[in-house]
Amino acid sequence: MAAAQGRLSDGAGGMDDANEGGGDGNRSAPPPFRAAVEALRAARLRPQIEVEPTPAPKRLAPFAYALEATVVDGDQDLADGRLVLLHDPAGHDAWHGTFRLVTLVRAELEPEMAADPLLPEVCWSWLTGALQARGLSYGEPSGTVTRASSHYFGGLAERPAASQIEIRASWTPREGLGGVPETGAHLASWCDLLAQVAGLPPAGPGDASVVTLPQRRGPQSR
């Protein structure tokens, strides 16, 4: 799987600076964080989305847990991304809470789609729409939508131009009983976003707040 790389929004840099203990859910962590991680592990997701733990970044929060995912169709990858759960028991002024979810999602698009001036707004609506469609409460959302194009020359001139979309975002999940957010539902919403970016049809009834773009670039071989 091609793991999403780069620096995430909301000051969440250092995604490649792995915390070797982050992948096990930090067994010495406080109960709310352990419960939030267990909810992530227990979530039931679409079969086209392969999710697995990955080393979590350090220095972002006292406790962190990370997942990476790929949207798969046969032997082809359609999109990929990473989701990080951060927890600071003392709270964080910028988060307005003790938990934060940070993500990077990316996929390749047709160059014509990448040139659409409405593309950033549409892609951001995919994120907020996925959360709203599952009735999730959240606060302090922030992020960026980036489109990039590659053109090939010389010995690579035969390659077609390629365009990529990246959604980098973070938000504060509202805490429920025992100070634990519904992380399993937030993971499911994040997978809805991945599926949307990959061009998959919705798993259930559509949501009016989610805008559909035209056909995307064909899948990439794994």
Side-chain angles (χ1 to χ4, degrees):
M1 167 180 153
Q5 304 291 334
R7 300 176 66 86
L8 300 192
S9 64
D10 195 35
M15 280 294 290
D16 300 322
D17 189 4
N19 178 354
E20 294 180 358
D24 64 2
N26 299 74
R27 293 185 180 89
S28 62
F33 180 74
R34 294 202 304 268
V37 170
E38 287 305 315
L40 290 174
R41 291 171 170 167
R44 299 185 62 183
L45 307 173
R46 295 180 63 157
Q48 301 96 330
I49 301 179
E50 297 180 353
V51 179
E52 60 185 6
T54 189
K58 56 186 178 182
R59 297 198 302 267
L60 299 184
F63 305 98
Y65 183 79
L67 297 167
E68 60 182 10
T70 303
V71 183
V72 177
D73 181 14
D75 63 348
Q76 298 170 322
D77 294 352
L78 304 179
D80 64 55
R82 185 177 296 185
L83 182 70
V84 180
L85 174 68
L86 305 176
H87 179 53
D88 186 343
H92 194 292
D93 291 342
W95 302 353
H96 290 184
T98 64
F99 284 91
R100 188 75 170 172
L101 286 164
V102 185
T103 186
L104 167 62
V105 171
R106 66 183 184 182
E108 290 199 21
L109 302 172
E110 292 289 353
E112 309 83 68
M113 292 178 60
D116 188 337
L118 296 179
L119 180 67
E121 289 80 4
V122 169
C123 288
W124 185 254
S125 80
W126 287 349
L127 170 63
T128 58
L131 293 167
Q132 293 165 7
R134 291 184 180 269
L136 293 170
S137 296
Y138 64 96
E140 308 306 319
S142 64
T144 62
V145 176
T146 303
R147 47 190 166 187
S149 297
S150 298
H151 300 266
Y152 301 94
F153 302 92
L156 302 177
E158 294 184 358
R159 292 189 183 183
S163 296
Q164 186 179 77
I165 190 74
E166 290 187 348
I167 304 172
R168 304 165 186 254
S170 62
W171 65 95
T172 299
R174 293 307 183 203
E175 298 164 15
L177 186 64
V180 182
E182 297 181 73
T183 50
H186 280 270
L187 174 58
S189 292
W190 181 68
C191 288
D192 292 341
L193 170 64
L194 273 172
Q196 188 95 19
V197 171
L200 296 183
D207 181 74
S209 66
V210 178
V211 182
T212 301
L213 281 179
Q215 183 178 0
R216 61 178 297 282
R217 172 179 287 277
Q220 304 298 301
S221 297
R222 303 185 80 182

